[in-house]
Amino acid sequence: MTEVISPATPEQLREAISWALGSKTPLEIIGSGSKKTYGHSVAADHVLDLSKLSGIMFYEPEELVMSVRAGTSLAEIHALLSDKNQQFHFEPGNFPGLLADGVTDHAGTIGGLVASNLSGPRRIKVGAARDHLLGFEAISGRAEDFKSGGRVMKNVTGFDLSKLMAGSFGTLGVMHTITMKVMPRDEKTRTVLIACDDIESAGRAMTRAMGSENEVSAAAWIAREQVGMLGVDIATGIGAGIVALRLEGPAPSVAWRCEALRKLLADIGTSEELHSTNSHVFWRSVADVAPFAGGAGILWRVSAAPASGGAIASKLAAETGGKVMMDWAGAQIWLQLAGRDAMADKVRDIAVSYDARAVLVRAPEDIRNQMSVFHAEDAALARINARIRENFDPEGILNPGRIGQMLTKQGDA
Amino acid sequence: MPEPDQSTLARRKDIIAAMRDIVPNEGGVIVDEDQLRPYECDGLMAYRQLPMIVVLPENTGQVAAILKYCHTHKIRVVPRGAGTGLSGGALPMADAITISMMKFNRVLDIDWDNRAVVVQPGVTNLGITRAVEHKGFYYAPDPSSQIACSIGGNIAENSGGVHSLKYGLTTNNVLGVEMVTIEGEILRVGGKGPDQSGYDLLGVITGSEGLLGIVTEVTVRILRKPETARALLLGFNSSEEGGNCVARIIADGIIPGGLEMMDAPAIKATEDFVHAGYPLDVEALLLVELDGPKVEVDYLIERVGAIARECGAVYSRISESEDERLLFWSGRKNAFPAIGRISPDYICMDGTIPRRRLAEVLTGMQVLSQRHGLRVANVFHAGDGNLHPLIMFDANQPGELERAEAFGADILKLCVEVGGVLSGEHGIGVEKRDLMPEMFTEDDMKHQERLKLAFDEDELLNPGKVFPTLHGCGELKTLHAREVADKFPDIPRF
Ligand SMILES: Cc1cc2nc3c(=O)[nH]c(=O)nc-3n(C[C@H](O)[C@H](O)[C@@H](O)COP(=O)(O)OP(=O)(O)OC[C@H]3O[C@@H](n4cnc5c(N)ncnc54)[C@H](O)[C@@H]3O)c2cc1C
Ligand SMILES: Cc1cc2nc3c(=O)[nH]c(=O)nc-3n(C[C@H](O)[C@H](O)[C@H](O)COP(=O)(O)OP(=O)(O)OC[C@H]3O[C@@H](n4cnc5c(N)ncnc54)[C@H](O)[C@@H]3O)c2cc1C
């Protein structure tokens, strides 16, 4: 029978994990469950729900730092930040729509966000959640308190376990307190839109823009049929696929760079400009992968070296008949397939031939559990990963199976 | 340091023969005392120890073979880059092989389209910029030692520099590494794209001080050189006002390319040395550099100037030419040798604090200075709150080195007390390892050691560094999950 355990303090969290450890009871850890359908199903009857473990510990806008309990909702955090005209610079997307699991009325918790280390379009300039996590406190699978990092911007005091926790999907320890770097919002934002239907030319345009002095903070390509899903009339009005390039910073600088960029890419196609509000709506939609939200189709995410994005995306589209979208200047390619065939071998072969990685983001549970959702690691890396997992969670009680068999202790689950 | 292992020392001849088999190249294995001498310390010269032998491999296969041999025969290994480290991370051991990576000195691939450069770890930090500057690119992290230090050492120490405030530390600029484990396995982590699979091993390898493996290849991202850079010199009557100005600039959403501060003793020492034209009647001097397109720089210079006036700046000068900008920097860049001129010896500490506690920490340092009877000067990366107190002493005076070390330890404790950390960029090494408990509990440290054990179960790689001496990982191996009661009554259940 499923039992939900909802600790409200770090002490209660430790007690819960002590109990699980002592009784060898695997736990499924959830923030708000917005990503339950991402990755593999967890082989656990008991749920450790962190949503009660919430609250702001401190927020010092002048110091650009915020410390919160892990179960705090992103809605609350974003509201607080926006009051002070600040933001998470890695602009997390909002995925409930994308994952289409019926959970649509919340935007997740900060713990879930850090544990999945996923980030929005600005990643190409400022990095992912991992790059903004200054420190954390957690309880490991050994039911021991541990922390790493701190609240300052520069720190090489011992191993950087914050990096290890970011993206670990709750399999090493359960974070209860998270300290993040925050940033002021930019004074001005503009987006250059260039009409471009050809995927490979779009890739080349993004590469040229990124190699220029114009400090592009986001670069995406959206196909003609999908532009309408972004909610920005100017973009739809172009009537073609678009390369979108964002510029942010002080007003005179943004205006100047906008001009420079339009000149630089004049040979690609006609261009338009989105101003601040439209830019915000546009990039929020890109962060949320709006063109592929709500659908039930299978969704892949291919992660590549940026300059190979155009070639990969065009090959994926041609060989699978799916729909593609590129973000991160080509380094992130979304592929949506109609129907129930994940075409895993085909997608992975194409990815691997470009030294890229493919992750199955959305698929019915039976399909997800029949195959490896994540990219298979080579044997030497897998061994190290498995040892880390075992050293932090020897009984395999934290989210067993979540990130695949590779990291799950043999014999568990 | 851990006691030298006598049985290893007894096998020295065999080990030398084995190393010569693996690295037959001329000069690849160093065994004579006079040739070992240059390796006896790194930039932290207070600690010295001759290595058992030094090996200079030239390719990844040789590194793998050396490490496999060491793993099989339980021989300790100390990785070494250029030896400029300031925390003793490359300090040799009497029973260990020092592996110098300085023959790994080639730039392997410049991928302009992906803005990624693949280099061997012995390439210097500046060497990367040199390889790409003809096309207007550069590698952003810029430790002051960049002309000498290796990119492998930068990764091991997660090095930073003046540019880190805006462009990040090493960890934010490395895309991938090839690394050899102590078992001789070759790992490739990351690449030219942003993502890797599994746990973020690239993130933990960066800053791991040579304890997890030997890095044999590095991929970094390069950036376009900003069109323009201009600098402001701002003087204040107190470090408090200077500190406030730093906070105001950043809170205003302006992230300068560099934001450095010097206190009165440092201003005086550097002005006497390089004559940069620094004002001598201020208590704190800020050096603010703005970079980007010219329109942006001109605009921000105005804004920073206005903020400085509001914060009570009593001195303000804006660079009007590239020469003048470089002149402003010449003082800051020469701060270490300038201190070297006024004191026979100095040690450079490295702690980070929350920016707003700056004035308090500087005052605290003055109190400590009197208590320990030694002078201190401060130059630091104010934008990141990363302090570099320079403690002046005379090693020829009995007891002064010890007093300087005690003073340094007190400063770092003060940093931790106000919410800061023991090291911002130089690492823990041997220098600060016994201070680790100031920041970390036993359990915190055990979890760091568990990461170490996942890579190096026998603790052969760079032992004696980072972890307090009485705190080997050994006892962890037998640690079992503790049994606990199956009750937790005060947690709500649904
Ligand atoms: C494919 C995909 C891409 C995404 N991309 C982005 C993006 O680009 N930018 C972005 O910001 N957001 C992104 N998200 C969504 C974002 O991560 C969510 O909004 C996040 O905040 C959800 O939080 P949650 O609490 O609902 O997560 P949950 O689904 O509850 O948890 C997610 C994972 O984290 C673990 N976990 C949760 N809390 C903790 C904790 N305290 N300690 C340890 N482990 C914990 C869970 O066990 C689970 O493995 C993405 C999500 C998916 C599925
Ligand atoms: C005058 C001066 C100014 C400095 N200024 C700065 C500064 O502004 N910012 C800053 O961050 N640092 C600074 N430093 C410190 C030092 O330059 C850096 O820590 C640098 O990264 C060390 O590089 P290295 O090649 O000299 O490494 P070494 O000193 O040789 O080694 C440092 C550590 O790295 C490990 N290591 C080296 N190569 C490898 C490898 N290939 N694989 C695995 N481990 C390896 C060693 O075991 C050791 O633990 C300064 C030093 C000096 C002397």
Side-chain angles (χ1 to χ4, degrees):
Chain A
M1 198 196 71
T2 304
E3 193 169 11
V4 177
I5 306 156
S6 303
T9 64
E11 293 70 34
Q12 291 179 351
L13 175 66
R14 190 191 327 103
E15 266 184 77
I17 294 178
S18 290
W19 165 79
L21 178 66
S23 56
K24 304 199 170 140
T25 308
L27 297 173
E28 172 166 17
I29 300 137
I30 64 163
S32 62
S34 68
K35 289 205 293 300
K36 261 178 90 85
T37 62
Y38 179 49
H40 297 274
S41 310
V42 172
D45 286 337
H46 289 66
V47 170
L48 184 62
D49 173 350
L50 299 173
S51 56
K52 295 229 155 22
L53 194 56
S54 73
I56 311 291
M57 310 304 289
F58 62 80
Y59 172 32
E60 295 173 7
E62 335 65 57
E63 289 272 310
L64 308 180
V65 55
M66 171 183 265
S67 188
V68 297
R69 290 283 190 232
T72 311
S73 78
L74 288 175
E76 181 181 351
I77 292 172
H78 286 316
L80 204 66
L81 286 173
S82 96
D83 266 0
K84 297 282 177 198
N85 202 28
Q86 295 192 334
Q87 61 179 343
F88 284 139
H89 219 198
F90 56 99
E91 58 183 337
N94 193 354
F95 276 65
L98 187 70
L99 295 175
D101 58 351
V103 188
T104 52
D105 58 346
H106 54 68
T109 64
I110 182 84
L113 179 140
V114 170
S116 18
N117 188 39
L118 297 156
S119 51
R122 212 183 276 110
R123 172 152 194 186
I124 52 175
K125 186 145 182 257
V126 305
R130 86 196 263 277
D131 297 283
H132 300 259
L133 174 65
L134 297 176
F136 70 87
E137 292 172 50
I139 315 289
S140 70
R142 294 173 176 269
E144 291 169 346
D145 290 82
F146 75 110
K147 65 172 180 296
S148 178
R151 50 158 299 170
V152 295
M153 303 295 150
K154 252 171 120 183
N155 183 355
V156 269
T157 313
F159 294 141
D160 193 352
L161 298 187
S162 299
K163 298 288 187 297
L164 195 62
M165 294 303 281
S168 64
F169 284 92
T171 58
L172 299 175
V174 180
M175 293 174 279
H176 57 77
T177 308
I178 285 172
T179 304
M180 303 291 294
K181 175 177 170 177
V182 299
M183 290 294 277
R185 280 185 195 282
D186 285 284
E187 187 181 315
K188 190 99 197 156
T189 302
R190 280 197 192 180
T191 302
V192 173
L193 302 178
I194 298 161
C196 178
D197 280 314
D198 176 63
I199 304 178
E200 297 212 34
S201 315
R204 280 192 294 273
M206 292 193 285
T207 297
R208 205 194 300 166
M210 293 305 297
S212 76
E213 292 104 338
N214 298 302
E215 296 194 57
V216 173
S217 74
W221 177 78
I222 323 286
R224 184 189 291 242
E225 320 85 272
Q226 267 97 46
V227 176
M229 312 283 291
L230 299 171
V232 178
D233 291 345
I234 297 173
T236 320
I238 291 179
I242 48 173
V243 173
L245 303 161
R246 182 174 60 186
L247 303 166
E248 296 173 293
S253 167
V254 170
W256 187 85
R257 285 182 282 145
C258 224
E259 270 316 298
L261 205 52
R262 290 177 79 159
K263 262 193 219 125
L264 181 74
L265 298 170
D267 61 319
I268 304 285
T270 54
S271 60
E272 280 287 351
E273 241 172 61
L274 299 181
H275 289 183
S276 293
T277 308
N278 276 328
S279 285
H280 290 308
V281 174
F282 182 92
W283 290 105
R284 171 100 336 262
S285 298
V286 173
D288 296 350
V289 202
F292 299 146
I298 281 168
L299 188 65
W300 285 92
R301 178 178 165 267
V302 176
S303 163
S308 53
I312 298 174
S314 110
K315 200 158 183 181
L316 285 171
E319 294 194 14
T320 66
K323 294 173 177 167
V324 293
M325 168 179 154
M326 285 190 277
D327 194 1
W328 300 357
Q332 171 164 270
I333 301 144
W334 297 95
L335 167 71
Q336 179 172 263
L337 302 174
R340 272 184 60 88
D341 183 359
M343 300 194 210
D345 290 343
K346 191 170 275 173
V347 173
R348 291 217 154 103
D349 284 350
I350 294 173
V352 168
S353 69
Y354 288 92
D355 203 15
R357 301 173 166 84
V359 173
L360 182 64
V361 171
R362 180 177 67 203
E365 187 170 10
D366 56 328
I367 295 181
R368 275 184 287 126
N369 286 337
Q370 272 159 23
M371 59 181 279
S372 174
V373 162
F374 296 97
H375 181 86
E377 295 146 30
D378 73 51
L381 279 179
R383 252 193 311 279
I384 302 257
N385 276 318
R387 280 189 218 151
I388 294 174
R389 161 85 159 131
E390 238 177 87
N391 287 354
F392 279 69
D393 179 20
E395 298 295 339
I397 54 169
L398 303 179
N399 276 347
R402 182 73 155 98
I403 50 182
Q405 294 313 308
M406 206 82 94
L407 296 179
T408 305
K409 216 182 134 202
Q410 295 298 316
D412 269 353
Chain B
M1 298 299 287
E3 281 296 307
D5 182 69
Q6 292 306 325
S7 79
T8 305
L9 293 176
R11 284 179 290 158
R12 185 167 183 264
K13 266 213 173 80
D14 296 343
I15 297 169
I16 292 170
M19 290 303 118
R20 287 201 162 123
D21 274 350
I22 297 171
V23 187
N25 328 42
E26 179 71 25
V29 181
I30 297 176
V31 300
D32 294 337
E33 190 176 324
D34 53 331
Q35 286 177 300
L36 290 174
R37 191 63 65 193
Y39 294 92
E40 71 179 349
C41 65
D42 59 10
L44 182 68
M45 289 181 280
Y47 299 90
R48 287 166 199 271
Q49 168 64 53
L50 276 187
M52 177 171 70
I53 52 176
V54 174
V55 184
L56 292 101
E58 291 185 10
N59 57 55
T60 303
Q62 289 179 350
V63 174
I66 297 168
L67 292 182
K68 195 172 262 170
Y69 177 89
C70 291
H71 183 245
T72 308
H73 295 89
K74 304 292 169 250
I75 297 159
R76 293 162 168 169
V77 176
V78 178
R80 180 183 171 102
T84 68
L86 290 172
S87 55
L91 179 70
M93 301 175 71
D95 62 350
I97 298 178
T98 286
I99 299 186
S100 166
M101 296 302 288
M102 292 315 276
K103 289 201 171 166
F104 279 70
N105 56 10
R106 283 186 303 133
V107 174
L108 301 174
D109 173 29
I110 303 176
D111 181 342
W112 303 103
D113 281 349
N114 283 308
R115 299 162 303 282
V117 177
V118 184
V119 297
Q120 293 187 318
V123 171
T124 62
N125 173 291
L126 195 61
I128 301 177
T129 292
R130 291 276 184 261
V132 297
E133 62 191 355
H134 64 284
K135 288 213 185 174
F137 284 85
Y138 77 117
Y139 174 63
D142 56 343
S144 314
S145 51
Q146 65 182 158
I147 188 168
C149 64
S150 74
I151 189 70
N154 287 179
I155 287 182
E157 303 290 5
N158 190 15
S159 296
V162 164
H163 283 139
S164 300
L165 174 65
K166 183 165 174 183
Y167 300 101
L169 303 162
T170 304
T171 190
N172 311 109
N173 289 278
V174 176
L175 294 168
V177 295
E178 176 190 82
M179 188 180 86
V180 184
T181 66
I182 188 69
E183 289 163 31
E185 278 195 308
I186 299 167
L187 306 179
R188 293 197 74 90
V189 187
K192 287 176 182 170
D195 283 339
Q196 47 179 314
S197 47
Y199 297 131
D200 184 359
L201 299 186
L202 185 60
V204 290
I205 288 166
T206 310
S208 64
E209 305 197 29
L211 267 68
L212 301 184
I214 296 198
V215 172
T216 47
E217 190 187 291
V218 181
T219 305
V220 296
R221 66 171 185 154
I222 48 169
L223 301 176
R224 261 315 266 262
K225 203 165 178 289
E227 186 198 43
T228 319
R230 286 177 78 192
L232 286 111
L233 269 185
L234 302 168
F236 296 88
N237 281 333
S238 71
S239 54
E240 191 145 21
E241 286 170 339
N244 284 342
C245 186
V246 170
R248 274 287 310 279
I249 293 170
I250 291 173
D252 227 52
I254 302 170
I255 306 296
L259 180 43
E260 301 286 299
M261 187 160 157
M262 297 166 80
D263 68 1
I267 301 167
K268 173 146 194 349
T270 54
E271 182 57 19
D272 287 351
F273 183 44
V274 296
H275 312 293
Y278 289 172
L280 291 172
D281 55 352
V282 297
E283 285 300 311
L285 189 65
L286 281 189
L287 182 50
V288 190
E289 178 156 300
L290 284 317
D291 62 2
K294 187 171 177 310
V295 279
E296 174 172 335
V297 173
D298 291 347
Y299 171 80
L300 291 180
I301 284 262
E302 288 296 316
R303 272 182 54 195
V304 169
I307 292 170
R309 278 192 299 281
E310 285 164 33
C311 293
V314 292
Y315 178 92
S316 170
R317 232 172 98 199
I318 300 173
S319 72
E320 297 298 341
S321 67
E322 185 62 6
D323 283 348
E324 195 172 12
R325 182 182 76 86
L326 294 174
L327 184 69
F328 286 5
W329 277 106
S330 66
R332 169 64 182 88
K333 297 243 170 193
N334 284 293
F336 289 18
I339 297 294
R341 267 177 24 127
I342 60 167
S343 173
D345 299 285
Y346 66 88
I347 45 176
C348 171
M349 304 307 296
D350 162 49
T352 308
I353 56 166
R355 280 183 290 252
R356 71 186 162 83
R357 310 293 292 266
L358 192 63
E360 187 185 334
V361 170
L362 290 178
T363 310
M365 252 188 249
Q366 286 315 317
V367 175
L368 290 171
S369 165
Q370 275 162 18
R371 186 182 308 157
H372 291 279
L374 293 173
R375 290 179 299 165
V376 62
N378 266 292
V379 295
F380 48 90
H381 309 303
D384 312 292
N386 184 194
L387 307 176
H388 286 322
L390 298 164
I391 299 173
M392 294 171 250
F393 69 102
D394 181 354
N396 289 326
Q397 300 300 318
E400 276 211 5
L401 171 63
E402 290 70 24
R403 257 162 53 212
E405 286 178 333
F407 185 4
D410 280 348
I411 291 176
L412 294 178
K413 286 180 194 165
L414 178 61
C415 291
V416 174
E417 237 173 77
V418 302
V421 297
L422 295 170
S423 175
E425 58 182 21
H426 297 165
I428 299 300
V430 288
E431 186 199 25
K432 298 174 208 162
R433 66 169 184 214
D434 293 331
L435 290 171
M436 288 284 272
E438 294 291 326
M439 248 184 91
F440 296 116
T441 65
E442 276 289 304
D443 280 346
D444 293 341
M445 239 126 49
K446 277 187 196 157
H447 283 86
Q448 297 197 28
E449 284 156 12
R450 289 185 178 116
L451 173 68
K452 160 79 171 169
L453 292 177
F455 284 86
D456 174 19
E457 209 178 5
D458 301 318
E459 295 176 81
L460 295 171
L461 262 167
N462 222 359
K465 317 288 164 65
V466 182
F467 297 113
T469 23
L470 294 174
H471 208 274
C473 314
E475 85 267 20
L476 278 177
K477 285 178 219 158
T478 53
L479 205 116
H480 290 294
R482 75 187 135 98
E483 289 301 317
V484 286
D486 68 339
K487 274 271 156 266
F488 47 107
D490 40 8
I491 302 180
R493 300 176 180 213
F494 300 92

